[in-house]
Amino acid sequence: MKIDSKKIGILGFSAGGIMALQLLMDQDEGDSSAADAAEKLGNRADFIALVYTGLPGNKMPKMSKNTPPVFIVHASDDPKAVPVVAAKIYQQLLEASAPAELHAFRRGDHGFGMTPTSGSVRNWTSLYADWMRDLKLLDK
């Protein structure tokens, strides 16, 4: 399997979504003069998916037109991660002209994972795959 170094992203659920947003806040392009090979590469993700996320330290990351594409999925009945956070993240992305997509499902609770068993939230992974195909991150 060949890995394309320009198609590396992060998918974060709940606290993992918070970590993905933290990465967005702390991203850098690397240091070409660094002695350490890892430091030369930097840590910028090529895409980010946030699934029922919160905010790191309750701080909204700064978004720009250079923010990598972001996919957001959330359930409106989530008692642990306030659904309005997903809408605020999406709004910030739009205002920054950053590529973004938001899917807010009426029901799904918190922790529906990759394979929810009921409701329309069952389809979120298909929507995510379509989004990745639209961005040419996956083959058709």
Side-chain angles (χ1 to χ4, degrees), residues 57-138:
N58 290 320
K59 295 180 183 175
M60 181 65 69
K62 290 184 180 177
M63 312 292 186
S64 75
K65 65 180 181 181
N66 297 321
T67 297
V70 179
F71 180 90
I72 306 165
V73 63
H74 213 101
S76 296
D77 66 346
D78 188 331
K80 295 182 180 174
V82 182
V84 74
V85 168
K88 287 181 179 179
I89 293 168
Y90 182 66
Q91 180 180 4
Q92 291 288 322
L93 289 160
L94 292 181
E95 289 175 359
S97 297
E101 187 165 317
L102 168 66
H103 296 275
F105 294 94
R106 184 173 63 88
R107 291 189 314 187
D109 202 357
H110 188 82
F112 51 79
M114 293 292 288
T115 56
T117 57
S118 64
S120 58
V121 73
R122 284 188 320 257
N123 299 315
W124 86 264
T125 54
S126 294
L127 295 168
Y128 180 50
D130 287 343
W131 176 79
M132 291 182 73
R133 283 185 199 95
D134 287 348
L135 293 171
K136 311 284 189 257
L137 297 168
L138 289 179

Side-chain angles (χ1 to χ4, degrees), residues 1-8 136-139:
M1 173 194 291
K2 183 178 175 191
I3 296 174
D4 186 337
S5 65
K6 299 294 183 196
K7 294 181 180 180
I8 298 175
K136 311 284 189 257
L137 297 168
L138 289 179
D139 294 333

